Amino acid sequence: SIRRQRQMCIRDSYMRARGINESEATDLMVAAFLEESLDLINSQTHGEAFRRVIAGWLAMRHERQES
């Protein structure tokens, strides 16, 4: 929605104003969004498994951006 896009833009501007680059700001936004989704998973084991997958994906994304 337009409202959500505006909120994300404001948050991105906030983070960048504090020295967090666009890539890191995006990663933080994605991680926060996915964390909210993971809160819906009732199984701690499955939630932790998904968190590991997400962390690995973000790390791989970060490595690609640095090279």
Side-chain angles (χ1 to χ4, degrees), residues 41-52:
I41 297 175
N42 291 330
S43 168
Q44 185 176 0
T45 303
H46 291 111
E48 289 303 317
F50 281 118
R51 282 181 181 87
R52 285 191 298 277

Side-chain angles (χ1 to χ4, degrees), residues 7-20:
Q7 288 173 334
M8 289 177 67
C9 183
I10 291 168
R11 287 184 206 139
D12 183 54
S13 297
Y14 175 86
M15 285 187 253
R16 291 177 64 194
R18 276 137 186 87
I20 299 173

Side-chain angles (χ1 to χ4, degrees), residues 1-66:
S1 78
I2 292 173
R3 182 174 183 238
R4 183 150 176 88
Q5 288 175 348
R6 187 165 14 118
Q7 288 173 334
M8 289 177 67
C9 183
I10 291 168
R11 287 184 206 139
D12 183 54
S13 297
Y14 175 86
M15 285 187 253
R16 291 177 64 194
R18 276 137 186 87
I20 299 173
N21 68 38
E22 185 177 357
S23 175
E24 289 175 291
T26 299
D27 287 353
L28 288 169
M29 295 294 291
V30 168
F33 174 80
L34 292 172
E35 187 62 38
E36 285 182 21
S37 301
L38 290 175
D39 287 342
L40 301 174
I41 297 175
N42 291 330
S43 168
Q44 185 176 0
T45 303
H46 291 111
E48 289 303 317
F50 281 118
R51 282 181 181 87
R52 285 191 298 277
V53 169
I54 293 165
W57 176 76
L58 288 171
M60 188 172 61
R61 184 178 182 283
H62 183 69
E63 287 174 12
R64 275 194 237 154
Q65 290 173 350
E66 287 185 344

